[in-house]
Amino acid sequence: MITVWNEHVVEGRKPEAARHYPEGMHATIASALGGLGSPVTTATLAQPDHGLPPDVLDATDVLLWWGHSAHDDVSDDVVSRVCERVLEGMGLVALHSAHYSKPFRRLMGTHCMLRWRIAGERETVWTVAPGHPIAAGLPGSFVIPEQEMYGEPFEVPPPEALVFLSGFAGGDVFRSGCCWTRGRGRIFYFSPGHETYPVYHQAEVRRVLVNAVRWAQPSGDR
Amino acid sequence: MITVWNEHVVEGRKPEAARHYPEGMHATIASALGGLGSPVTTATLAQPDHGLPPDVLDATDVLLWWGHSAHDDVSDDVVSRVCERVLEGMGLVALHSAHYSKPFRRLMGTHCMLRWRIAGERETVWTVAPGHPIAAGLPGSFVIPEQEMYGEPFEVPPPEALVFLSGFAGGDVFRSGCCWTRGRGRIFYFSPGHETYPVYHQAEVRRVLVNAVRWAQPSGDR
Amino acid sequence: MITVWNEHVVEGRKPEAARHYPEGMHATIASALGGLGSPVTTATLAQPDHGLPPDVLDATDVLLWWGHSAHDDVSDDVVSRVCERVLEGMGLVALHSAHYSKPFRRLMGTHCMLRWRIAGERETVWTVAPGHPIAAGLPGSFVIPEQEMYGEPFEVPPPEALVFLSGFAGGDVFRSGCCWTRGRGRIFYFSPGHETYPVYHQAEVRRVLVNAVRWAQPSGDR
Amino acid sequence: MITVWNEHVVEGRKPEAARHYPEGMHATIASALGGLGSPVTTATLAQPDHGLPPDVLDATDVLLWWGHSAHDDVSDDVVSRVCERVLEGMGLVALHSAHYSKPFRRLMGTHCMLRWRIAGERETVWTVAPGHPIAAGLPGSFVIPEQEMYGEPFEVPPPEALVFLSGFAGGDVFRSGCCWTRGRGRIFYFSPGHETYPVYHQAEVRRVLVNAVRWAQPSGDR
């Protein structure tokens, strides 16, 4: 099972977010993942256990995580369960501002800070590992017309594989697609995706989500 | 298409090799790969172009390479074509003494020397990356009852992923399952496999071969 | 300043530990580091703030950590300060059973479990990165006559550099010398060093300690 | 001994190169390295053995290489000797268009192609590994006012450490400071440095050269 988690807070506060993601960002992200042959479900902060009780996590092969303004409201118990499941083999795909979420930071062991600027900038995403499964079917580069700038230094452990690099009009650069393993679990961070831009509706971004989920699935006995 | 290349020389010279691999090591290796959904073919040194003319290489998704006593007889033209195809995306699985084959050494950029001792030693293969696709379905460790010892120092670039480590009765250790990328191509080296022992008949080793071929396949547009 | 931290508990409980390390393991470890041109100090669990108040940590360039039976007695405040200092650039050299210490585990983001067996086994330490500064002046391999066996699987993130591999008489293997970075800080884990054997008196081990401290020092403005 | 190799061809053909580097680029590069406590010498293509006979290479601890328009004129014998010395422990610092030099390509095992555009663009160099010795004393980012654009995809094996990333006004990005090891030798590639701009006179670039040489020195018995 694939589970898309979203704090689902900013959509109610920002008109652009509501316009681009009327049913929540989790709904738009989940809609990209229908063709993978696994059931896709969603979960949000306001649900009991944030929608992630033990039985849901136990059944989840890959968890996608989007959070931004409510990181501190996520309970430490849920965070511990998520991290345990990753160590056991569950994949984790951390999206955009999830760089600062509790589970991602705990698994990285660092603060995971970065520089940012909301200026509707043009982001060019470059594939630097063209043979990596997460780059399958993607061009050498693609453009996201308007984005929040995320820039280096990005305080994470050196990624085990660097798949994408982004450049911004202002000369900023960012390691926008990074892979790590923790225990038996595979972790992918992908930075594009601010709530006030229709990033998750863009075909190339949706292809990255599909590839990332496929890559992060536990190998198990397949 | 999966292509298994074997110099096919030692089987005619050593009775134990002939006994364990009466149709050649390539036949035994190829027999492990039937369930992958791709046609499997074999090629040997004595064939024109060593069985690897351009159309065969162009059609090959993953090439497995076994060579030992005839490395120098492989033509540089064929070596160049193999290396080019790897850079374009063909996977390469180098087996046992192929650590010293011309294509592997050229792609590594080092001599790829190691220490060795033929003493029928017990080799224990440990999985050190349990979440890696090449370890799928394998136990934490398995034993090869009799093996040629391959020991550190192994003069290769640091692997991008280390999947297996081997220990020998004599206290020697070896990085026995190593991953690299070169261009768009994925390379896996797996050290078990001396010709005078029935290593390629062992279930765990055959599972590694299957996993390695699956991992090394080009991502293309899948 | 170089600070050697030791829980200093086992020396009072085990006669062999007291015999090999009559002044505490920290004293023996510190005695290896006199030639580095930095002052060397020690700290232990029983001291206020475990001997690591903010001013000591702020002045420490490299912290060596030995702990075994009292990991849980280390206060979370001290652990947080140690981790913060590593992210700011302080080097950390984690020794033997410190694989399971709170600071190391938090910085790794995993449980850091391993297999172990106390049987006075012969450990052979192999240098697999001969050009790495931590291997400077060391032979291709050296033997520790009696050791506690530490074996794979070792549940840590893949090291950024693997310097040493160990083999044991029983066929067990271990990644015994591993490097990581977290923030601006460099971390080295070295597994030899059980308290009931005179490991820290052995010349090769002392050379590793010297090299590791030199490597882990912050680059600063040098 | 530190040896700076330069093909020394473009300085005679391009007025800007002659203006910025009247005594040759090797002279300017060498002038940055005087404070390291090692003798610094230079060598050029036109000298016998390109200035790199066996006794010079044997005495060289770190070789810096600048080449652009005469890669093919470097004899394969000299290339082989350089590569052998790297495997034995000599450091190699490949500068700018040396990405396409024979020794660098042979050691990498790939074509090492990249995209480029000569348009006097502003390059911002970002430090992404702030704790790495090659970043010592450098700011979080610095600007080279006019540069040739070097852009991804850069067809090299994934670097073992990525120290610098560059962004260009046009949205292009590049892994501008990369580390690898081959055998006992350490290799650093640094992309800034086109001959028609005064890049090697800039203080930050000269600091990178100093740090890189210090990092690449063989550990030996120090």
Side-chain angles (χ1 to χ4, degrees), chain D residues 3-218:
Chain D
T3 303
V4 181
W5 191 88
N6 177 17
E7 59 179 35
H8 201 205
V9 172
V10 289
E11 294 92 332
R13 294 185 187 157
K14 301 186 184 180
E16 309 94 314
R19 183 158 50 88
H20 295 308
Y21 304 103
E23 298 175 73
M25 303 183 79
H26 50 291
T28 304
I29 292 167
S31 72
L33 305 173
L36 279 161
S38 294
V40 181
T41 186
T42 62
T44 58
L45 182 69
Q47 295 175 302
D49 282 314
H50 311 323
L52 299 173
D55 61 319
V56 169
L57 281 174
D58 287 350
T60 298
D61 295 308
V62 180
L63 176 66
L64 298 95
W65 191 279
W66 199 98
H68 188 177
S69 53
H71 293 315
D72 286 345
D73 298 337
V74 178
S75 92
D76 287 336
D77 278 358
V78 169
V79 171
S80 293
R81 278 206 300 269
V82 166
C83 291
E84 282 306 307
R85 278 288 297 141
V86 169
L87 298 180
E88 288 171 15
M90 181 181 75
L92 177 66
V93 178
L95 295 171
H96 190 57
S97 39
H99 74 91
Y100 213 63
S101 65
K102 287 182 178 179
F104 184 71
R105 294 174 70 192
R106 192 186 293 180
L107 289 162
M108 292 293 107
T110 62
H111 291 308
C112 304
M113 286 294 287
L114 46 77
R115 290 179 314 105
W116 53 275
R117 179 175 60 228
I118 302 183
E121 279 171 271
R122 185 176 189 266
E123 174 174 358
T124 308
V125 181
W126 297 88
T127 299
V128 298
H132 196 283
I134 300 182
L138 286 157
S141 68
F142 63 91
V143 168
I144 302 174
E146 287 191 308
Q147 249 289 50
E148 179 182 13
M149 187 281 289
Y150 268 22
E152 297 285 343
F154 184 23
E155 195 228 20
V156 283
E160 295 161 35
L162 178 64
V163 184
F164 301 114
L165 277 181
S166 287
F168 292 85
D172 301 279
V173 298
F174 197 68
R175 288 171 289 175
S176 47
C178 298
C179 300
W180 295 269
T181 54
R182 289 292 182 268
R184 290 174 173 267
R186 297 181 138 193
I187 301 170
F188 182 64
Y189 173 74
F190 188 57
S191 61
H194 195 59
E195 67 266 20
T196 61
Y197 306 113
V199 175
Y200 293 120
H201 292 281
Q202 187 167 335
E204 294 96 337
V205 169
R206 292 168 78 85
R207 180 67 196 254
V208 172
L209 297 178
V210 167
N211 291 346
V213 168
R214 190 177 275 145
W215 172 84
Q217 273 171 334

Side-chain angles (χ1 to χ4, degrees), chain C residues 2-218:
Chain C
I2 301 162
T3 303
V4 181
W5 190 88
N6 177 18
E7 59 179 35
H8 201 204
V9 172
V10 290
E11 293 92 332
R13 294 183 187 159
K14 302 186 183 181
E16 310 95 314
R19 182 159 51 88
H20 295 309
Y21 306 102
E23 298 176 72
M25 304 182 78
H26 49 291
T28 305
I29 292 166
S31 73
L33 307 173
L36 279 162
S38 293
V40 181
T41 186
T42 63
T44 58
L45 182 69
Q47 294 175 301
D49 282 315
H50 310 324
L52 299 173
D55 62 318
V56 168
L57 282 175
D58 285 351
T60 298
D61 293 308
V62 181
L63 176 67
L64 297 95
W65 191 279
W66 198 98
H68 189 177
S69 53
H71 293 315
D72 287 344
D73 298 337
V74 178
S75 91
D76 288 335
D77 278 357
V78 169
V79 171
S80 293
R81 277 207 299 269
V82 166
C83 292
E84 283 304 307
R85 277 290 295 142
V86 169
L87 298 180
E88 289 171 15
M90 181 182 75
L92 177 66
V93 178
L95 295 171
H96 190 57
S97 39
H99 74 90
Y100 213 64
S101 64
K102 286 182 179 178
F104 184 71
R105 294 173 71 193
R106 191 185 294 180
L107 289 161
M108 293 293 107
T110 63
H111 291 310
C112 305
M113 287 294 287
L114 45 76
R115 290 180 315 104
W116 53 275
R117 179 174 60 229
I118 302 184
E121 278 169 274
R122 184 177 190 266
E123 175 174 358
T124 309
V125 182
W126 298 89
T127 300
V128 297
H132 196 283
I134 299 182
L138 286 158
S141 68
F142 63 91
V143 169
I144 301 174
E146 287 190 308
Q147 248 289 47
E148 179 182 12
M149 188 282 290
Y150 269 21
E152 298 284 345
F154 185 21
E155 194 228 21
V156 284
E160 296 161 35
L162 177 64
V163 183
F164 302 113
L165 277 181
S166 286
F168 293 85
D172 301 279
V173 298
F174 196 66
R175 289 170 288 175
S176 48
C178 298
C179 301
W180 295 269
T181 54
R182 289 292 181 270
R184 288 172 173 269
R186 297 180 137 193
I187 301 169
F188 182 64
Y189 173 73
F190 187 58
S191 61
H194 195 59
E195 66 267 20
T196 61
Y197 306 113
V199 176
Y200 294 120
H201 293 280
Q202 187 167 334
E204 294 95 337
V205 169
R206 292 169 78 85
R207 180 65 195 255
V208 172
L209 297 178
V210 167
N211 291 346
V213 168
R214 190 178 274 146
W215 172 84
Q217 273 171 333

Side-chain angles (χ1 to χ4, degrees), chain A residues 58-72:
Chain A
D58 286 350
T60 297
D61 294 308
V62 181
L63 176 67
L64 298 95
W65 191 280
W66 199 98
H68 189 177
S69 54
H71 293 316
D72 286 345

